[in-house]
Every structure is written in structure tokens, then in C-alpha cells.
Amino acid sequence: MNRFVPEPSPEPSPASSSAPPEPSQAPSPAPPEPSQAPSPAPPEPSQAPSPAPPEPSQAPSPAPRAAVGRRALRSLARGVTRVTDAALGPYQTAAVRIGFAATWLLFLLREFPHRQELYGPDGPWSWDLARQLVTDNGAFTVLMWSRSQMWFEAVYALTAAVSLLLLLGWRTRTMSVLFMVGVLSLQNHSVLMGDGGDNVLHLMSLYLVFTRCGQVWSLDARRARRARAVRAHGARAGDAAGPLLWGVLGCVLAAVTVGGRFGTAEWTVPALLWAVWLAQAVWWAAGRRERTWRLRVLLDVVGNVLHNGALLVIMAEACLVYATAGWYKIQGSRWQDGTAVYYPLHLGYFSPWPGLADLLSANGTLVLLVTYGTVLAQVAFPFTLFNRRVKNVLLAAMITEHAAIAVVLGLPFFSLAMITADAVFLPTSFLRCLGGRAARARARLLSRTAARGGRAAPPGRERADGEAGETTGTVRTRA
Amino acid sequence: MDAYDEEPNAPRGVQPPPALPEPQTSRSARPAGTHDPQAPDRPAAPHHPTAPAASTAPTAPTAPTAPAEPPRPAGLAALPLPHRIGAVAFLAVVAVAVCTHLGMVFLHVAPPNTVTARHGGAVNEWIYPEFEQNWKLFAPNPLQQDIAVQARAEVRTPDGGRHTTGWYDLSAQDGRAIRGNPLPSHTQQNELRRAWDFFVAAHDGAGRPVGLRGALAEQYLRRIVVLRLERAHAPGPGGTVERVQVRARTTNVPPPKWSREKVSTAPVLRALPWWPVPSAEAEGGVR
């Protein structure tokens, strides 16, 4: 391919400029920054814009003050490099992508027999009721584009299909946008059908659009890997599907805009749709010519910055969920007297297994411990992020509790959504291990079916595990 | 923040399409356009940090692409100064946007306070409609009452007569559908329960509907009731539902056996007036 990098180098990985520009020649009296200190911090764009040179309040002498200033500048530069040069947490964002796509897909499949009653134009929350509310609140839903049953069925089916494609990581960015459109369309039509799980999904579908969530564990990653191999042999990697998809969606978007179908929807979502569509064109164009390599690198940086910002928002959102749930509970008398957990277990709507509920609440001390433990864990969770080990312990506890809630309170999809939100905090090593295991299991399965089907070729090394420097971008058609 | 264990050496991805158009155009690259792509403004030696990661990775990243493909320039350091300034400016914009968004969401989920008293409008403007959220999960106190929504119908029979059905306990129907069900449907778990909550919230103390939501809540509840009564074959063969009446029967959940608390478990009834059912709705209009 070598469209813009004729530099011959045996390095297969992208030029990782993770070394920040070091103003090293300055004779600094201070000990050198521990630059090799592993800083596993999440992207903190918040620290970037604070070019806080230390206050010159009452520094004793100019020399140490200058040193402190230099050090602050240097760590600022490191921070900037960190959040501009890489889309952080590739495994975490991929896990979040797969988790939410799977949650929504399974939900749609489970509700297929009830889809009409939940979101259909003649359901209890009818198209006319939905239109009145949407006109009032400006929410975005494509279901308002037509009252017909056909349109509703199409949206439902397409949303399920898009969820599957997002799960697989096919054209991840485009699918994440369509996923958002599907989630918002169905949920905004019938806001009163949802619960906390739907709320999490709603928000995360918006945030996911800004992430590069297909860097690993995706068909995009596999395609990029193959394209690289093809290019390494001097051939051209063609790609027709990407531009075609882009063109079709552009026509739809234009038709909808010209036709005034966005109607009463607030500008946020339509603007986002147009922005992504245009950005993909710019990205594609920048990658075609050698002389635009600077623009291409710049766009890459922009993509990284957006990704890292969205990743921070996703993490903060998860913390806000727990903090809100925890701090409000502290104020409740039932959470104080240690009986709170007993009550949901005995409400008709949340006790699918009354025998199990009775068993769990038979002992007052046990209920007290679970009640206090829940509050403690929820309040503490955001603070444990400062210590990896404590965080991991608490994360395991949270995931276990949500798994229990799925069964005991009959809230499987809520729990799945919450566990997925938790997954953004899982350690990379754990996720890689999980991915490796899944890949090996798949390879075994495939080779078995291949053997049974008489095919000779084993699945080879198309592992789910990602690898350094994978792209999710559309592979260009020509150089 | 040790939040998510990004390995310092974790493999990094590159170059998926960005989500927003870049304000910098290629024109700004022109001043530096005399450089060819090999120009020294790219990072010198690609700092290669993968050694420890590669040893732990079950599959070495180099496998499928062993033949040398020249690395693409990447990262801030590869860019000429004007581009770098643009990138950092963009970073600043994103950082401000992220902080603003998180601040707004925080104020939205926080209790009413001094700031929201003054700037509540701005917060709502930012949050609604798409970022609305509520995480008071079973808080401050979990619901301690079973609220059963019940309904009956006035039915016109084919021979022109009228009769009133008995009360149907719709919430009990939901409860039966949920019991022993590992995957309860939203139609069983949320639909009626939340419709009643919405109805109560959209009506004042005297039971008068408040605004648009009050009117919507009434129609919604009526449509659910009609649907459920039809499914339960309440109108009987050939019968048509002409009016429906809804009531809520609220019972305290009895306190735990090991508690000394005493709570009355006598049900409290709240009956709503009869509502006429439009004929289109009664004849299979709700599905």
C-alpha cells in the first residue's frame, strides 16, 4: 500500500510515538521524572487542558520553581501524548460494545412475541400517544416517520440485525451509529416500557458512537489484518462495501432531512448523524492520497481524542450510577434499619421465585449484611478506582450481585446491562485471557465441524484476540 | 486513577474513522508541504514498547503480517507544528465538552441544590431529551406496598343488554406470568406497573389530570386495561366493552417474620371514575 509511508522499516506495528517529546536537554536540578512509571490511568482529558504551572505564590527561589514548572509541563505533555496517540482501553471498549449489543439483541429476540404491545403503532402506548409526547419533548425516533405496521416491523428487524453486526464488529462505527438510532427509536417511542437497564443502554448507545470500539474482537480487525497481509505482498486491498454503505446511508439521510422527517426531534441526534457521515468521507478521502498523510494522522489523533473522551464519560457514567444509587439509599430508613433487601423480594413484580426469596430473607442478620453491603459497595465503588486491587475485588462483588439480581428479582436484561457497564473497569489481562479462551473454544468447534463436514482447512489463526495496530477503518479501494 | 488497568504496553489500535469532522483542513498542511512524507518531522525511532506485552500475549501480534509493511506515521509527534496546535486545541474542546457533560449529568442526578436552583433550566436544556436518567434504584426506600391495578368493564351484549363484569386483577395476572419465569417480559414487569405510576404522578391530589401528561396517562391506562380485558375474554362472545373502571388496591408488604414491626395489611382501595371506551379501541383497536 505504502501510500504515504515509504520509509522502509521492518517494524510491523505503527510508529508508536508513545515517547513524549522530552525537553531533556534542560539542565534540570530536579531528579528526572519517573517517566517509565506505569501509569495505568484512564484517559483523563480533564487534566490536559489544565496547563497549571504552579502558582508563583511564595516560592523561595526561582530555580526550584522553574524545575517544578518544567516537571508540570513535562507531565502535561505526557498526558497529552497519551490521550492523543492511542485509543485507550481497546479491550474494555470492545467488551462494552459486545455486551450492550448482545443485551439489546437478546432483549429484542425475547420480546419478539411482545414487540407489537411494546413498541407497535397500535400498542397500548400507540403511535398517536407517542407522537404527542415526542412533539412535546423533542426526543428522536424514526418510528414517527410512518404510522404503518410495515415500517415498525422493519425498524424492529433492522435494529436486531444492526445489534448483531455491532456485536460482530462489522463496520463498527457505522453500526454503532445505527445501533444508537435503533435503541433511541424504540425506547423513545415507548419511554414508559423501560427500566434502569433500558436507561443504561440508551445512554451507552450514544456514547459508543464516539468510541473506537472495534479495535479488537471484531470483523473489522480481522479485515484490517487481512488487508495488511495483502498489502505486504504488494497487492491492493479492495473494499466496496464501505463506500457503498456510506453512499446508501447518505441518500437516506439526505432524503430524511429534505423530507423534513426529523420534524420535532431536537437537533442533537440529527447533527450527530450528519457529522459522522461527513467525517467518514473526510477520513476516506484523506487515506487515499499520499500527500494528505498529515491530515490522515491528524484525523487519527482526533479519533483517539474523541474515543478517550467518550471512554472517560462511560466510566464516569458508571460511577454516577453507583454513587447515585448508593447515596440516596443511605437516606432511606429501610436501608438504615437493615431490612431494605427484604421488600423487593416480596413484591409480586420482582419475585419470580418466591421460595428462593423466602429462603434468602429467612435470616434477619443475613438481610442486614446484604443491605449494608449493597450500600457500602455502591457508595465505595467510585473511590476504589484509585486502587487497582481493591477495585477488582469490588468489581467482582458488583458483578456477582448483579448476576444474583438477574435471577432473584427477575431482571436479567437490567443485570446484563449493568454487568456490561462494569466491564469497562475490568483488567486488560483478564479480558485478553477471556478472549483467548473464547478464540480457542471457537477454533475447536470450527475444526470439529470442519472435520465432520469433510473440509480439510482448520480455521487457522483468525483469532478473536486482537493485536497491535489493528484498524477498524474502511480499507481503501485504491492507493 | 487506577481505574481500568490499561496495560501500558497494551496493543494500540489505529485509524478507525473519526466521528466528527476535523476542523483542520488539508490546507493547513500546505505550509509544511515541502516535506515529503519521509521528512524528519516524523518521530525518529519508533519507540517499541511491546516486549513485555508480547510475552504475555497468547498470540504474538506479528503473526499474519510478518512481511515488512512500513509503519505509518502516527501520533502527535509525527505532525508538523500547526497540525499539532490544531490537535491540542481539539483536545481542549473535547476536554471542556466532557467536563461540561459530566457536570450537567451530575447536577441532573444530584438532589435539588443551590446550583440547580439557579441554573436548573440550563441543566434541563442539556440533559433532555436524550440524556435523562434516574438511578434511585430502590432508593431512598424500596417500595413496601403491593399495588394491584384492577379493572372491570361495562359490556354491551349482542342482544342489546348491558352488564358489568367482575373485577379483574391485572397485576395478579402479571405476577402469575412472572412467577417461575427466568426472562420476564417488559409487558409483564413494567407496562402496567409504570403506567400506574405515571398516572399517579400526572394527576393532582383531587385526581385531576395535570397537563399533557395527565391526558396521555389516562388514555394509556385505559388502552392497557381494554387490551387486558379483551385478552381475558371479559366482554364474552359478541360483547363490546363500552366503559371501563380502574381501581388500585394497595396492600402493605407484611414485615419480615424476624422483625417486631407491626404493619396493617388491610388493603386500601382507590377507584377511578368510569371511562367511556371509544368504539375503535374496543373492537380490537389495541393490539
Side-chain angles (χ1 to χ4, degrees), chain B residues 37-56:
Chain B
Q38 294 192 59
D41 59 347
R42 260 180 299 128
H47 191 86
H48 208 10
T50 53
S55 63
T56 56

Side-chain angles (χ1 to χ4, degrees), chain A residues 205-402:
Chain A
S205 75
L206 281 155
Y207 298 149
L208 266 182
V209 169
F210 294 93
T211 63
R212 294 178 146 178
C213 52
Q215 296 178 90
V216 297
W217 297 338
S218 68
L219 292 177
D220 282 349
R222 187 178 73 170
R223 194 175 61 247
R225 212 152 52 223
R226 286 178 174 171
R228 262 202 313 280
V230 167
R231 285 195 304 258
H233 291 98
R236 280 173 181 166
D239 174 45
L244 187 69
L245 191 61
W246 178 83
V248 169
L249 292 175
C251 291
V252 173
L253 204 50
V256 166
T257 308
V258 171
R261 290 292 184 180
F262 283 129
T264 57
E266 223 205 17
W267 61 272
T268 326
V269 175
L272 184 60
L273 297 179
W274 274 111
V276 178
W277 185 78
L278 289 172
Q280 284 187 321
V282 175
W283 174 257
W284 181 79
R288 279 170 69 84
R289 272 184 213 57
E290 203 171 292
R291 63 189 169 76
T292 55
W293 71 270
R294 286 180 198 81
L295 176 61
R296 167 114 186 172
V297 173
L298 187 65
L299 290 174
D300 187 40
V301 167
V302 164
N304 289 338
V305 168
L306 284 171
H307 167 99
N308 293 329
L311 180 57
L312 180 68
V313 169
I314 290 172
M315 293 172 140
E317 187 72 64
C319 289
L320 275 174
V321 173
Y322 286 125
T324 313
W327 287 102
Y328 279 107
K329 282 189 179 81
I330 284 186
Q331 304 166 31
S333 58
R334 289 301 182 193
W335 293 96
Q336 291 171 6
D337 71 16
T339 59
V341 167
Y342 167 88
Y343 288 98
L345 290 174
H346 290 85
L347 291 175
Y349 276 104
F350 298 103
S351 50
W353 317 101
L356 184 62
D358 282 338
L359 194 71
L360 287 174
S361 56
N363 185 314
T365 314
L366 191 71
V367 171
L368 170 83
L369 287 176
V370 175
T371 303
Y372 277 19
T374 302
V375 176
L376 189 71
Q378 291 188 336
V379 169
F381 183 74
F383 302 102
T384 64
L385 298 182
F386 293 98
N387 182 298
R388 180 188 299 206
R389 205 171 296 166
V390 182
K391 179 264 293 177
N392 285 340
V393 170
L394 212 60
L395 202 53
M398 300 295 237
I399 290 175
T400 312
E401 180 163 16
H402 279 130

Side-chain angles (χ1 to χ4, degrees), chain B residues 143-229:
Chain B
L143 189 64
Q144 295 152 55
Q145 299 169 326
D146 253 321
I147 302 172
V149 178
Q150 305 176 334
R152 62 176 175 175
E154 192 180 272
V155 176
R156 197 184 64 233
T157 50
D159 56 17
R162 275 196 177 78
H163 73 93
T164 304
T165 68
W167 288 100
Y168 285 76
D169 192 332
L170 308 181
S171 299
Q173 289 173 7
D174 283 342
R176 279 195 294 278
I178 289 168
R179 202 147 317 137
N181 186 348
L183 298 171
S185 165
H186 275 21
T187 53
Q188 298 149 0
Q189 207 166 29
N190 295 347
E191 185 181 290
L192 184 62
R193 180 175 64 86
R194 290 207 59 201
W196 179 255
D197 288 348
F198 181 52
F199 180 88
V200 171
H203 285 71
D204 64 12
R208 281 185 300 262
V210 179
L212 171 68
R213 269 140 226 262
L216 294 180
E218 224 164 272
Q219 293 179 59
Y220 183 38
L221 192 57
R222 187 188 68 217
R223 291 175 65 90
I224 293 175
V225 165
V226 170
L227 177 70
R228 301 285 177 98
L229 289 176

Side-chain angles (χ1 to χ4, degrees), chain A residues 4-5 7 9 11-13 15-17 40-42 45 49 85 88-90 92 107 110-111 114 116-117 122-126 129 132-133 136-140 149 173 188 191-195 198-200 202-203 207 212 215 228 231 266 275-276 279 283 291 293-294 296-300 302 315-317 320-321 324-325 328-329 332-335 340 342-343 347-349 352-354 361-362 364 385-386 388 391 409-410 424-428 432 461 463 467-473, chain B residues 1-8 11-22 24 30 32 35 37 42 47-48 57-59 61-65 68-76 78-80 83 87 90-91 94-95 98 101-102 105-106 109-111 128-146 171 174 178-180 182-191 193-194 198 212-213 216 219-220 223-224 227 231 253-256 258 261 285-287:
Chain A
F4 42 76
V5 196
E7 181 183 46
S9 153
E11 297 293 347
S13 80
S16 153
S17 53
D85 281 11
L88 300 167
Q92 286 80 2
F107 172 77
R110 190 268 168 267
E111 297 290 9
H114 303 286
Q116 171 62 34
E117 189 175 340
D122 293 316
W125 187 261
S126 64
L129 294 184
Q132 292 179 57
L133 189 64
D136 185 53
N137 68 10
F140 173 86
Q149 180 69 20
R173 182 79 71 176
N188 285 345
V191 259
L192 292 166
M193 291 294 184
D195 53 32
D198 296 86
N199 203 339
V200 173
H202 186 114
L203 297 168
Y207 298 149
R212 294 178 146 178
Q215 296 178 90
R228 262 202 313 280
R231 285 195 304 258
E266 223 205 17
V276 178
W283 174 257
R291 63 189 169 76
W293 71 270
R294 286 180 198 81
R296 167 114 186 172
V297 173
L298 187 65
L299 290 174
D300 187 40
V302 164
M315 293 172 140
E317 187 72 64
L320 275 174
V321 173
T324 313
Y328 279 107
K329 282 189 179 81
S333 58
R334 289 301 182 193
W335 293 96
Y342 167 88
Y343 288 98
L347 291 175
Y349 276 104
W353 317 101
S361 56
L385 298 182
F386 293 98
R388 180 188 299 206
K391 179 264 293 177
L409 296 183
V424 77
F425 298 108
L426 284 174
T428 301
R432 291 183 66 129
R461 297 181 54 78
R463 342 149 325 282
E467 56 185 44
E470 289 177 334
T471 90
T472 56
Chain B
M1 231 178 29
D2 243 352
Y4 79 129
D5 296 277
E6 167 61 37
E7 282 175 28
R12 39 155 308 197
V14 264
Q15 293 132 347
L20 285 176
E22 168 52 42
Q24 292 285 316
R30 292 289 147 71
H35 297 270
R42 260 180 299 128
H47 191 86
H48 208 10
T59 44
T62 48
T65 51
E69 185 187 342
R72 299 168 173 191
L76 212 53
L79 289 168
H83 287 65
F90 182 76
L91 172 63
V94 169
V98 165
H101 181 69
L102 292 179
V105 173
F106 176 83
V109 298
Y128 291 97
E130 304 298 355
F131 294 104
E132 183 185 0
Q133 48 202 290
N134 175 12
W135 309 119
K136 294 182 192 172
L137 310 167
F138 300 114
N141 271 326
L143 189 64
Q144 295 152 55
Q145 299 169 326
D146 253 321
S171 299
D174 283 342
I178 289 168
R179 202 147 317 137
L183 298 171
S185 165
H186 275 21
T187 53
Q188 298 149 0
Q189 207 166 29
N190 295 347
E191 185 181 290
R193 180 175 64 86
R194 290 207 59 201
F198 181 52
L212 171 68
R213 269 140 226 262
L216 294 180
Q219 293 179 59
Y220 183 38
R223 291 175 65 90
I224 293 175
L227 177 70
R231 277 193 194 153
V253 172
W258 32 265
E261 237 177 292
V286 190
R287 296 186 290 141

